[in-house]
PDB file of all heavy atoms in Angstrom:
ATOM      1  N   SER C  12       4.753  13.550  -8.314  1.00  0.00           N
ATOM      2  CA  SER C  12       5.687  12.536  -7.802  1.00  0.00           C
ATOM      3  C   SER C  12       6.385  11.684  -8.865  1.00  0.00           C
ATOM      4  O   SER C  12       7.406  11.101  -8.629  1.00  0.00           O
ATOM      5  CB  SER C  12       5.012  11.695  -6.786  1.00  0.00           C
ATOM      6  OG  SER C  12       4.026  10.908  -7.392  1.00  0.00           O
ATOM      7  N   CYS C  13       5.762  11.617 -10.021  1.00  0.00           N
ATOM      8  CA  CYS C  13       6.329  10.741 -11.035  1.00  0.00           C
ATOM      9  C   CYS C  13       6.219  11.444 -12.436  1.00  0.00           C
ATOM     10  O   CYS C  13       6.922  12.421 -12.645  1.00  0.00           O
ATOM     11  CB  CYS C  13       5.606   9.416 -11.048  1.00  0.00           C
ATOM     12  SG  CYS C  13       6.420   8.197 -12.071  1.00  0.00           S
ATOM     13  N   GLU C  15       3.263  12.605 -13.971  1.00  0.00           N
ATOM     14  CA  GLU C  15       2.058  13.430 -14.243  1.00  0.00           C
ATOM     15  C   GLU C  15       2.193  14.740 -13.470  1.00  0.00           C
ATOM     16  O   GLU C  15       2.417  14.660 -12.240  1.00  0.00           O
ATOM     17  CB  GLU C  15       0.774  12.698 -13.809  1.00  0.00           C
ATOM     18  CG  GLU C  15       0.730  11.246 -13.969  1.00  0.00           C
ATOM     19  CD  GLU C  15       0.275  10.800 -15.342  1.00  0.00           C
ATOM     20  OE1 GLU C  15       0.181  11.695 -16.203  1.00  0.00           O
ATOM     21  OE2 GLU C  15       0.060   9.599 -15.556  1.00  0.00           O
ATOM     22  N   HIS C 114       1.962  10.664  -0.686  1.00  0.00           N
ATOM     23  CA  HIS C 114       1.242  10.208  -1.936  1.00  0.00           C
ATOM     24  C   HIS C 114       0.403   8.948  -1.681  1.00  0.00           C
ATOM     25  O   HIS C 114      -0.610   8.812  -2.296  1.00  0.00           O
ATOM     26  CB  HIS C 114       2.361   9.923  -2.957  1.00  0.00           C
ATOM     27  CG  HIS C 114       1.868   9.455  -4.295  1.00  0.00           C
ATOM     28  ND1 HIS C 114       1.412  10.365  -5.238  1.00  0.00           N
ATOM     29  CD2 HIS C 114       1.805   8.271  -4.875  1.00  0.00           C
ATOM     30  CE1 HIS C 114       1.073   9.722  -6.332  1.00  0.00           C
ATOM     31  NE2 HIS C 114       1.273   8.404  -6.130  1.00  0.00           N
ATOM     32  N   MET C 115       0.819   8.096  -0.774  1.00  0.00           N
ATOM     33  CA  MET C 115       0.062   6.849  -0.562  1.00  0.00           C
ATOM     34  C   MET C 115      -1.245   7.128   0.148  1.00  0.00           C
ATOM     35  O   MET C 115      -2.239   6.502  -0.174  1.00  0.00           O
ATOM     36  CB  MET C 115       0.919   5.826   0.221  1.00  0.00           C
ATOM     37  CG  MET C 115       2.229   5.495  -0.408  1.00  0.00           C
ATOM     38  SD  MET C 115       2.169   5.351  -2.228  1.00  0.00           S
ATOM     39  CE  MET C 115       1.196   3.896  -2.410  1.00  0.00           C
ATOM     40  N   HIS C 118      -3.534   8.159  -2.555  1.00  0.00           N
ATOM     41  CA  HIS C 118      -4.185   7.085  -3.276  1.00  0.00           C
ATOM     42  C   HIS C 118      -5.371   6.494  -2.499  1.00  0.00           C
ATOM     43  O   HIS C 118      -6.426   6.260  -3.083  1.00  0.00           O
ATOM     44  CB  HIS C 118      -3.173   5.952  -3.580  1.00  0.00           C
ATOM     45  CG  HIS C 118      -2.399   6.163  -4.857  1.00  0.00           C
ATOM     46  ND1 HIS C 118      -3.027   6.299  -6.051  1.00  0.00           N
ATOM     47  CD2 HIS C 118      -1.107   6.293  -5.079  1.00  0.00           C
ATOM     48  CE1 HIS C 118      -2.088   6.491  -7.022  1.00  0.00           C
ATOM     49  NE2 HIS C 118      -0.958   6.489  -6.423  1.00  0.00           N
ATOM     50  N   VAL C 138      -2.219  -0.854  -4.506  1.00  0.00           N
ATOM     51  CA  VAL C 138      -1.418  -1.454  -5.616  1.00  0.00           C
ATOM     52  C   VAL C 138      -1.041  -0.398  -6.628  1.00  0.00           C
ATOM     53  O   VAL C 138      -1.849   0.094  -7.384  1.00  0.00           O
ATOM     54  CB  VAL C 138      -2.228  -2.604  -6.328  1.00  0.00           C
ATOM     55  CG1 VAL C 138      -2.107  -3.903  -5.524  1.00  0.00           C
ATOM     56  CG2 VAL C 138      -3.713  -2.271  -6.483  1.00  0.00           C
ATOM     57  N   SER C 139       0.251  -0.030  -6.628  1.00  0.00           N
ATOM     58  CA  SER C 139       0.680   1.031  -7.549  1.00  0.00           C
ATOM     59  C   SER C 139       2.004   0.621  -8.219  1.00  0.00           C
ATOM     60  O   SER C 139       2.426  -0.529  -8.121  1.00  0.00           O
ATOM     61  CB  SER C 139       0.859   2.321  -6.795  1.00  0.00           C
ATOM     62  OG  SER C 139       1.987   2.240  -5.947  1.00  0.00           O
ATOM     63  N   GLY C 140       2.686   1.583  -8.837  1.00  0.00           N
ATOM     64  CA  GLY C 140       3.927   1.271  -9.512  1.00  0.00           C
ATOM     65  C   GLY C 140       5.047   1.136  -8.506  1.00  0.00           C
ATOM     66  O   GLY C 140       6.077   0.466  -8.777  1.00  0.00           O
ATOM     67  N   GLY C 141       4.911   1.694  -7.278  1.00  0.00           N
ATOM     68  CA  GLY C 141       5.941   1.615  -6.281  1.00  0.00           C
ATOM     69  C   GLY C 141       5.572   0.875  -5.061  1.00  0.00           C
ATOM     70  O   GLY C 141       6.416   0.551  -4.212  1.00  0.00           O
ATOM     71  N   HIS C 142       4.307   0.550  -4.895  1.00  0.00           N
ATOM     72  CA  HIS C 142       3.819  -0.089  -3.645  1.00  0.00           C
ATOM     73  C   HIS C 142       2.866  -1.256  -3.914  1.00  0.00           C
ATOM     74  O   HIS C 142       2.134  -1.253  -4.884  1.00  0.00           O
ATOM     75  CB  HIS C 142       3.037   0.939  -2.751  1.00  0.00           C
ATOM     76  CG  HIS C 142       3.917   1.905  -2.094  1.00  0.00           C
ATOM     77  ND1 HIS C 142       4.599   2.876  -2.775  1.00  0.00           N
ATOM     78  CD2 HIS C 142       4.303   2.061  -0.799  1.00  0.00           C
ATOM     79  CE1 HIS C 142       5.350   3.608  -1.936  1.00  0.00           C
ATOM     80  NE2 HIS C 142       5.159   3.129  -0.734  1.00  0.00           N
ATOM     81  N   VAL C 165       3.579  -4.545  -7.634  1.00  0.00           N
ATOM     82  CA  VAL C 165       2.875  -5.223  -8.710  1.00  0.00           C
ATOM     83  C   VAL C 165       2.809  -4.401  -9.951  1.00  0.00           C
ATOM     84  O   VAL C 165       2.978  -4.956 -11.075  1.00  0.00           O
ATOM     85  CB  VAL C 165       1.416  -5.685  -8.196  1.00  0.00           C
ATOM     86  CG1 VAL C 165       0.531  -4.489  -7.919  1.00  0.00           C
ATOM     87  CG2 VAL C 165       0.789  -6.549  -9.218  1.00  0.00           C
ATOM     88  N   GLY C 166       2.696  -3.093  -9.859  1.00  0.00           N
ATOM     89  CA  GLY C 166       2.705  -2.234 -11.018  1.00  0.00           C
ATOM     90  C   GLY C 166       4.067  -2.329 -11.746  1.00  0.00           C
ATOM     91  O   GLY C 166       4.116  -2.356 -13.010  1.00  0.00           O
ATOM     92  N   GLU C 167       5.103  -2.419 -10.966  1.00  0.00           N
ATOM     93  CA  GLU C 167       6.473  -2.545 -11.496  1.00  0.00           C
ATOM     94  C   GLU C 167       6.578  -3.881 -12.270  1.00  0.00           C
ATOM     95  O   GLU C 167       7.169  -3.960 -13.317  1.00  0.00           O
ATOM     96  CB  GLU C 167       7.405  -2.582 -10.310  1.00  0.00           C
ATOM     97  CG  GLU C 167       8.867  -2.403 -10.545  1.00  0.00           C
ATOM     98  CD  GLU C 167       9.633  -2.361  -9.226  1.00  0.00           C
ATOM     99  OE1 GLU C 167       9.009  -2.327  -8.131  1.00  0.00           O
ATOM    100  OE2 GLU C 167      10.880  -2.440  -9.275  1.00  0.00           O
ATOM    101  N   ALA C 168       5.974  -4.954 -11.703  1.00  0.00           N
ATOM    102  CA  ALA C 168       5.997  -6.266 -12.408  1.00  0.00           C
ATOM    103  C   ALA C 168       5.248  -6.171 -13.713  1.00  0.00           C
ATOM    104  O   ALA C 168       5.724  -6.680 -14.767  1.00  0.00           O
ATOM    105  CB  ALA C 168       5.372  -7.325 -11.480  1.00  0.00           C
ATOM    106  N   TYR C 169       4.124  -5.490 -13.728  1.00  0.00           N
ATOM    107  CA  TYR C 169       3.340  -5.273 -15.007  1.00  0.00           C
ATOM    108  C   TYR C 169       4.255  -4.566 -16.014  1.00  0.00           C
ATOM    109  O   TYR C 169       4.358  -4.963 -17.176  1.00  0.00           O
ATOM    110  CB  TYR C 169       2.131  -4.413 -14.767  1.00  0.00           C
ATOM    111  CG  TYR C 169       0.876  -5.237 -14.571  1.00  0.00           C
ATOM    112  CD1 TYR C 169       0.445  -5.555 -13.281  1.00  0.00           C
ATOM    113  CD2 TYR C 169       0.059  -5.640 -15.632  1.00  0.00           C
ATOM    114  CE1 TYR C 169      -0.766  -6.271 -13.075  1.00  0.00           C
ATOM    115  CE2 TYR C 169      -1.096  -6.390 -15.431  1.00  0.00           C
ATOM    116  CZ  TYR C 169      -1.520  -6.666 -14.117  1.00  0.00           C
ATOM    117  OH  TYR C 169      -2.661  -7.391 -13.938  1.00  0.00           O
ATOM    118  N   ASP C 170       4.942  -3.503 -15.577  1.00  0.00           N
ATOM    119  CA  ASP C 170       5.750  -2.710 -16.451  1.00  0.00           C
ATOM    120  C   ASP C 170       6.949  -3.520 -16.988  1.00  0.00           C
ATOM    121  O   ASP C 170       7.308  -3.431 -18.171  1.00  0.00           O
ATOM    122  CB  ASP C 170       6.226  -1.416 -15.776  1.00  0.00           C
ATOM    123  CG  ASP C 170       5.027  -0.499 -15.421  1.00  0.00           C
ATOM    124  OD1 ASP C 170       4.019  -0.602 -16.071  1.00  0.00           O
ATOM    125  OD2 ASP C 170       5.148   0.329 -14.500  1.00  0.00           O
ATOM    126  N   PRO C 181       3.531   2.787 -21.128  1.00  0.00           N
ATOM    127  CA  PRO C 181       3.347   2.170 -19.799  1.00  0.00           C
ATOM    128  C   PRO C 181       2.764   0.792 -19.906  1.00  0.00           C
ATOM    129  O   PRO C 181       1.760   0.548 -20.599  1.00  0.00           O
ATOM    130  CB  PRO C 181       2.391   3.138 -19.077  1.00  0.00           C
ATOM    131  CG  PRO C 181       1.566   3.765 -20.186  1.00  0.00           C
ATOM    132  CD  PRO C 181       2.444   3.702 -21.417  1.00  0.00           C
ATOM    133  N   GLY C 182       3.372  -0.122 -19.195  1.00  0.00           N
ATOM    134  CA  GLY C 182       3.046  -1.554 -19.376  1.00  0.00           C
ATOM    135  C   GLY C 182       1.719  -2.027 -18.842  1.00  0.00           C
ATOM    136  O   GLY C 182       1.075  -2.837 -19.451  1.00  0.00           O
ATOM    137  N   GLY C 183       1.333  -1.484 -17.694  1.00  0.00           N
ATOM    138  CA  GLY C 183       0.117  -2.007 -17.045  1.00  0.00           C
ATOM    139  C   GLY C 183      -1.116  -1.967 -17.926  1.00  0.00           C
ATOM    140  O   GLY C 183      -1.712  -3.014 -18.180  1.00  0.00           O
ATOM    141  N   PRO C 184      -1.500  -0.809 -18.432  1.00  0.00           N
ATOM    142  CA  PRO C 184      -2.672  -0.745 -19.274  1.00  0.00           C
ATOM    143  C   PRO C 184      -2.531  -1.581 -20.535  1.00  0.00           C
ATOM    144  O   PRO C 184      -3.536  -2.142 -21.021  1.00  0.00           O
ATOM    145  CB  PRO C 184      -2.770   0.745 -19.659  1.00  0.00           C
ATOM    146  CG  PRO C 184      -1.945   1.502 -18.671  1.00  0.00           C
ATOM    147  CD  PRO C 184      -0.891   0.525 -18.141  1.00  0.00           C
ATOM    148  N   LYS C 185      -1.278  -1.691 -21.073  1.00  0.00           N
ATOM    149  CA  LYS C 185      -1.100  -2.497 -22.302  1.00  0.00           C
ATOM    150  C   LYS C 185      -1.314  -3.979 -22.035  1.00  0.00           C
ATOM    151  O   LYS C 185      -1.905  -4.666 -22.839  1.00  0.00           O
ATOM    152  CB  LYS C 185       0.300  -2.198 -22.853  1.00  0.00           C
ATOM    153  CG  LYS C 185       0.394  -0.813 -23.406  1.00  0.00           C
ATOM    154  CD  LYS C 185       1.687  -0.536 -24.181  1.00  0.00           C
ATOM    155  CE  LYS C 185       1.559   0.867 -24.827  1.00  0.00           C
ATOM    156  NZ  LYS C 185       2.810   1.314 -25.390  1.00  0.00           N
ATOM    157  N   ILE C 186      -0.765  -4.450 -20.936  1.00  0.00           N
ATOM    158  CA  ILE C 186      -1.041  -5.860 -20.577  1.00  0.00           C
ATOM    159  C   ILE C 186      -2.521  -6.144 -20.281  1.00  0.00           C
ATOM    160  O   ILE C 186      -3.123  -7.090 -20.786  1.00  0.00           O
ATOM    161  CB  ILE C 186      -0.170  -6.279 -19.369  1.00  0.00           C
ATOM    162  CG1 ILE C 186       1.272  -6.364 -19.773  1.00  0.00           C
ATOM    163  CG2 ILE C 186      -0.652  -7.595 -18.792  1.00  0.00           C
ATOM    164  CD1 ILE C 186       2.177  -6.999 -18.742  1.00  0.00           C
ATOM    165  N   ASP C 187      -3.116  -5.199 -19.594  1.00  0.00           N
ATOM    166  CA  ASP C 187      -4.538  -5.281 -19.295  1.00  0.00           C
ATOM    167  C   ASP C 187      -5.335  -5.511 -20.602  1.00  0.00           C
ATOM    168  O   ASP C 187      -6.152  -6.440 -20.698  1.00  0.00           O
ATOM    169  CB  ASP C 187      -4.965  -3.992 -18.624  1.00  0.00           C
ATOM    170  CG  ASP C 187      -6.367  -4.059 -18.057  1.00  0.00           C
ATOM    171  OD1 ASP C 187      -7.107  -5.011 -18.309  1.00  0.00           O
ATOM    172  OD2 ASP C 187      -6.777  -3.075 -17.349  1.00  0.00           O
ATOM    173  N   ARG C 191      -6.941  -9.510 -22.563  1.00  0.00           N
ATOM    174  CA  ARG C 191      -8.304  -9.812 -22.825  1.00  0.00           C
ATOM    175  C   ARG C 191      -8.456 -10.721 -24.035  1.00  0.00           C
ATOM    176  O   ARG C 191      -9.430 -11.497 -24.112  1.00  0.00           O
ATOM    177  CB  ARG C 191      -9.115  -8.555 -23.107  1.00  0.00           C
ATOM    178  CG  ARG C 191      -9.505  -7.828 -21.805  1.00  0.00           C
ATOM    179  CD  ARG C 191     -10.208  -6.495 -22.095  1.00  0.00           C
ATOM    180  NE  ARG C 191      -9.705  -5.540 -21.119  1.00  0.00           N
ATOM    181  CZ  ARG C 191      -9.710  -4.225 -21.267  1.00  0.00           C
ATOM    182  NH1 ARG C 191     -10.183  -3.733 -22.347  1.00  0.00           N
ATOM    183  NH2 ARG C 191      -9.226  -3.459 -20.287  1.00  0.00           N
ATOM    184  N   GLN C 245      -0.936 -12.055 -15.713  1.00  0.00           N
ATOM    185  CA  GLN C 245      -1.987 -11.249 -15.004  1.00  0.00           C
ATOM    186  C   GLN C 245      -2.823 -12.171 -14.098  1.00  0.00           C
ATOM    187  O   GLN C 245      -3.048 -11.756 -12.902  1.00  0.00           O
ATOM    188  CB  GLN C 245      -2.908 -10.638 -16.014  1.00  0.00           C
ATOM    189  CG  GLN C 245      -3.969  -9.764 -15.356  1.00  0.00           C
ATOM    190  CD  GLN C 245      -4.653  -8.837 -16.356  1.00  0.00           C
ATOM    191  OE1 GLN C 245      -4.229  -7.686 -16.448  1.00  0.00           O
ATOM    192  NE2 GLN C 245      -5.594  -9.348 -17.128  1.00  0.00           N
ATOM    193  N   GLY C 283      -4.698   2.832  -5.902  1.00  0.00           N
ATOM    194  CA  GLY C 283      -3.432   2.840  -6.653  1.00  0.00           C
ATOM    195  C   GLY C 283      -3.644   2.566  -8.122  1.00  0.00           C
ATOM    196  O   GLY C 283      -4.729   2.084  -8.533  1.00  0.00           O
ATOM    197  N   GLY C 284      -2.601   2.818  -8.924  1.00  0.00           N
ATOM    198  CA  GLY C 284      -2.759   2.695 -10.419  1.00  0.00           C
ATOM    199  C   GLY C 284      -3.256   1.371 -10.860  1.00  0.00           C
ATOM    200  O   GLY C 284      -4.049   1.263 -11.776  1.00  0.00           O
ATOM    201  N   VAL C 285      -2.818   0.281 -10.167  1.00  0.00           N
ATOM    202  CA  VAL C 285      -3.198  -1.077 -10.646  1.00  0.00           C
ATOM    203  C   VAL C 285      -4.707  -1.374 -10.326  1.00  0.00           C
ATOM    204  O   VAL C 285      -5.325  -2.295 -10.832  1.00  0.00           O
ATOM    205  CB  VAL C 285      -2.286  -2.135 -10.063  1.00  0.00           C
ATOM    206  CG1 VAL C 285      -2.590  -3.526 -10.629  1.00  0.00           C
ATOM    207  CG2 VAL C 285      -0.840  -1.808 -10.402  1.00  0.00           C
ATOM    208  N   ALA C 286      -5.305  -0.538  -9.446  1.00  0.00           N
ATOM    209  CA  ALA C 286      -6.754  -0.658  -9.151  1.00  0.00           C
ATOM    210  C   ALA C 286      -7.530  -0.401 -10.465  1.00  0.00           C
ATOM    211  O   ALA C 286      -8.741  -0.708 -10.508  1.00  0.00           O
ATOM    212  CB  ALA C 286      -7.159   0.297  -8.051  1.00  0.00           C
ATOM    213  N   ALA C 287      -6.884   0.178 -11.466  1.00  0.00           N
ATOM    214  CA  ALA C 287      -7.583   0.414 -12.769  1.00  0.00           C
ATOM    215  C   ALA C 287      -7.661  -0.893 -13.569  1.00  0.00           C
ATOM    216  O   ALA C 287      -8.371  -0.934 -14.554  1.00  0.00           O
ATOM    217  CB  ALA C 287      -6.833   1.506 -13.589  1.00  0.00           C
ATOM    218  N   ASN C 288      -6.920  -1.893 -13.155  1.00  0.00           N
ATOM    219  CA  ASN C 288      -6.855  -3.143 -13.972  1.00  0.00           C
ATOM    220  C   ASN C 288      -8.182  -3.853 -14.004  1.00  0.00           C
ATOM    221  O   ASN C 288      -8.785  -4.146 -13.006  1.00  0.00           O
ATOM    222  CB  ASN C 288      -5.743  -4.041 -13.395  1.00  0.00           C
ATOM    223  CG  ASN C 288      -5.579  -5.313 -14.197  1.00  0.00           C
ATOM    224  OD1 ASN C 288      -6.145  -6.352 -13.912  1.00  0.00           O
ATOM    225  ND2 ASN C 288      -4.824  -5.198 -15.257  1.00  0.00           N
ATOM    226  N   SER C 289      -8.599  -4.146 -15.257  1.00  0.00           N
ATOM    227  CA  SER C 289      -9.979  -4.679 -15.447  1.00  0.00           C
ATOM    228  C   SER C 289     -10.093  -6.130 -14.844  1.00  0.00           C
ATOM    229  O   SER C 289     -11.144  -6.418 -14.261  1.00  0.00           O
ATOM    230  CB  SER C 289     -10.373  -4.665 -16.932  1.00  0.00           C
ATOM    231  OG  SER C 289      -9.501  -5.523 -17.638  1.00  0.00           O
ATOM    232  N   CYS C 314      -7.730   6.303 -10.125  1.00  0.00           N
ATOM    233  CA  CYS C 314      -6.830   5.191  -9.753  1.00  0.00           C
ATOM    234  C   CYS C 314      -5.369   5.650  -9.908  1.00  0.00           C
ATOM    235  O   CYS C 314      -4.549   5.538  -9.015  1.00  0.00           O
ATOM    236  CB  CYS C 314      -7.095   3.966 -10.575  1.00  0.00           C
ATOM    237  SG  CYS C 314      -8.619   3.180 -10.227  1.00  0.00           S
ATOM    238  N   THR C 315      -5.004   6.064 -11.113  1.00  0.00           N
ATOM    239  CA  THR C 315      -3.648   6.508 -11.377  1.00  0.00           C
ATOM    240  C   THR C 315      -3.401   7.939 -10.825  1.00  0.00           C
ATOM    241  O   THR C 315      -4.348   8.579 -10.406  1.00  0.00           O
ATOM    242  CB  THR C 315      -3.329   6.418 -12.874  1.00  0.00           C
ATOM    243  OG1 THR C 315      -4.385   6.960 -13.603  1.00  0.00           O
ATOM    244  CG2 THR C 315      -3.079   4.961 -13.297  1.00  0.00           C
ATOM    245  N   ASP C 316      -2.178   8.363 -10.850  1.00  0.00           N
ATOM    246  CA  ASP C 316      -1.785   9.586 -10.177  1.00  0.00           C
ATOM    247  C   ASP C 316      -2.655  10.828 -10.614  1.00  0.00           C
ATOM    248  O   ASP C 316      -2.813  11.025 -11.836  1.00  0.00           O
ATOM    249  CB  ASP C 316      -0.340   9.916 -10.420  1.00  0.00           C
ATOM    250  CG  ASP C 316       0.527   8.872  -9.672  1.00  0.00           C
ATOM    251  OD1 ASP C 316       0.011   8.161  -8.841  1.00  0.00           O
ATOM    252  OD2 ASP C 316       1.760   8.822  -9.956  1.00  0.00           O
ATOM    253  N   MET C 320      -7.045  13.391  -5.523  1.00  0.00           N
ATOM    254  CA  MET C 320      -6.826  12.510  -4.305  1.00  0.00           C
ATOM    255  C   MET C 320      -5.896  13.178  -3.291  1.00  0.00           C
ATOM    256  O   MET C 320      -6.034  13.032  -2.098  1.00  0.00           O
ATOM    257  CB  MET C 320      -6.285  11.164  -4.756  1.00  0.00           C
ATOM    258  CG  MET C 320      -4.844  11.177  -5.310  1.00  0.00           C
ATOM    259  SD  MET C 320      -4.300   9.585  -5.950  1.00  0.00           S
ATOM    260  CE  MET C 320      -2.549   9.825  -6.052  1.00  0.00           C
TER     261      MET C 320
HETATM  262  O1  KG4 T 401      -0.516   4.800  -8.741  1.00  0.00           O
HETATM  263  P1  KG4 T 401       0.280   5.030 -10.035  1.00  0.00           P
HETATM  264  O2  KG4 T 401      -0.347   5.938 -11.073  1.00  0.00           O
HETATM  265  O3  KG4 T 401       1.730   5.570  -9.742  1.00  0.00           O
HETATM  266  C1  KG4 T 401       2.437   5.230  -8.611  1.00  0.00           C
HETATM  267  O4  KG4 T 401       2.176   5.815  -7.520  1.00  0.00           O
HETATM  268  O5  KG4 T 401       3.252   4.274  -8.756  1.00  0.00           O
HETATM  269  O6  KG4 T 401       0.525   3.579 -10.587  1.00  0.00           O
HETATM  270  C2  KG4 T 401       1.212   3.375 -11.794  1.00  0.00           C
HETATM  271  C3  KG4 T 401       1.301   1.886 -12.023  1.00  0.00           C
HETATM  272  C4  KG4 T 401       2.133   1.599 -13.226  1.00  0.00           C
HETATM  273  O7  KG4 T 401       3.036   0.541 -12.877  1.00  0.00           O
HETATM  274  C5  KG4 T 401       1.138   1.133 -14.257  1.00  0.00           C
HETATM  275  O8  KG4 T 401       1.646   0.176 -15.158  1.00  0.00           O
HETATM  276  C6  KG4 T 401       0.028   0.540 -13.383  1.00  0.00           C
HETATM  277  O9  KG4 T 401      -0.035   1.355 -12.277  1.00  0.00           O
HETATM  278  N1  KG4 T 401      -1.251   0.502 -14.097  1.00  0.00           N
HETATM  279  C7  KG4 T 401      -1.912  -0.635 -14.410  1.00  0.00           C
HETATM  280  C8  KG4 T 401      -3.069  -0.253 -15.120  1.00  0.00           C
HETATM  281  N2  KG4 T 401      -3.125   1.110 -15.170  1.00  0.00           N
HETATM  282  C9  KG4 T 401      -1.987   1.586 -14.514  1.00  0.00           C
HETATM  283  N3  KG4 T 401      -1.553  -1.900 -14.170  1.00  0.00           N
HETATM  284  C10 KG4 T 401      -2.395  -2.842 -14.646  1.00  0.00           C
HETATM  285  N4  KG4 T 401      -3.535  -2.552 -15.296  1.00  0.00           N
HETATM  286  C11 KG4 T 401      -3.899  -1.279 -15.576  1.00  0.00           C
HETATM  287  N5  KG4 T 401      -5.015  -1.031 -16.217  1.00  0.00           N
END
Side-chain angles (χ1 to χ4, degrees):
S12 66
C13 190
E15 324 276 8
H114 183 78
M115 304 320 294
H118 274 301
V138 278
S139 73
H142 285 71
V165 64
E167 194 178 350
Y169 265 94
D170 295 337
K185 290 188 175 172
I186 288 192
D187 190 352
R191 280 177 220 154
Q245 180 165 265
V285 185
N288 184 263
S289 62
C314 292
T315 44
D316 292 347
M320 67 185 196

